[in-house]
Amino acid sequence: MVTRWRLAWLRITAWLIDWLCVLVLAVVLVPIGLVVRGLDLPVWALNLGSFLLLVLPATLWLAWRESARGATPGKRLRGLMVVSTETGRRVSFGRALARNGLKVTLPWELGHTVAYGFATEADPGGWLIVVSIVLYAVVLVWIAGLFARVSPYDAIAGTRVVLMSTDLSTR
C-alpha cells in the first residue's frame, strides 16, 4: 500500500513532468509575445491573449489526456491515473476539464491578474490585495490537498488519483 507521502511525491513529480510539456508551448509562443510587447494593448487584452494562447490550450490538453488516456504524460510516467470517484474508471472529458479548470486555470488566471495588476497599476488598489490573498489561499490549499486523501479540486470534480496498478474494479 502506498503512503500519502509517497503518493504526494508521485503526484508532484508527475506535475513537474507535465509542466515541462506545457513549457514547450510557452517557448513556442515567445515570438508572439515579443511582437505583442511592442503593441500598446490594454492589460485586459494581454491577459485575455495569454489565456487564449497558453492557459486554455494547456488546460484542454491536460483534460484530454486524462479523459482519453486516463493520465497525463507525467502521471503515466509515474504510474498514476485519474479516475471517477463514482465508477472507479477513467473520467469523462467534462470531469477532467472541471478538474483541470480548478487545478490549473483558476490559480494561473488569478496569478496573471495579480502579476498584470501589480506590473501596470501605478497605485494598486485593495482589490489587487484581495485577489493576491485568494491566489495564495488557493495555491496553499491545493498543495496541502496533495497530502490529503483527496485534493479539493478532485473532491469537487468527483475524481481521484490512483496508482495504475490499483484494481479499480473494486472501487
Side-chain angles (χ1 to χ4, degrees):
M1 175 157 190
V2 69
T3 66
R4 285 185 191 177
W5 291 99
R6 176 76 176 137
L7 185 60
W9 174 249
L10 291 172
R11 290 179 73 173
I12 290 166
T13 56
W15 177 83
L16 290 171
I17 293 165
D18 290 338
W19 284 101
L20 285 175
C21 296
V22 171
L23 185 60
V24 171
L25 175 59
V27 168
V28 167
L29 293 174
V30 166
I32 294 172
L34 293 173
V35 168
V36 169
R37 184 173 177 227
L39 305 175
D40 190 24
L41 295 175
V43 173
W44 67 265
L46 294 171
N47 203 2
L48 178 62
S50 64
F51 174 78
L52 293 174
L53 294 174
L54 182 59
V55 180
L56 183 62
T59 303
L60 291 171
W61 176 72
L62 292 165
W64 168 71
R65 292 296 298 228
E66 288 178 355
S67 64
R69 299 191 173 192
T72 59
K75 284 183 189 69
R76 188 168 289 280
L77 285 170
R78 301 304 290 152
L80 301 171
M81 70 183 298
V82 178
V83 298
S84 167
T85 54
E86 295 171 359
T87 65
R89 292 200 162 93
R90 190 179 303 161
V91 296
S92 67
F93 180 76
R95 262 186 216 269
L97 186 58
R99 177 181 193 275
N100 284 285
L102 291 166
K103 175 182 156 189
V104 176
T105 306
L106 176 65
W108 201 342
E109 279 307 300
L110 288 172
H112 274 177
T113 301
V114 169
Y116 284 129
F118 278 116
T120 60
E121 296 283 329
D123 183 25
W127 71 271
L128 203 49
I129 301 300
V130 171
V131 175
S132 298
I133 291 168
V134 170
L135 169 62
Y136 281 103
V138 166
V139 170
L140 290 173
V141 168
W142 276 195
I143 290 170
L146 291 172
F147 299 94
R149 190 163 179 252
V150 178
S151 65
Y153 50 84
D154 280 319
I156 294 167
T159 59
R160 67 181 175 178
V161 177
V162 298
L163 291 173
M164 283 187 183
S165 60
T166 302
D167 180 12
L168 301 176
S169 62
T170 60
R171 299 196 183 265

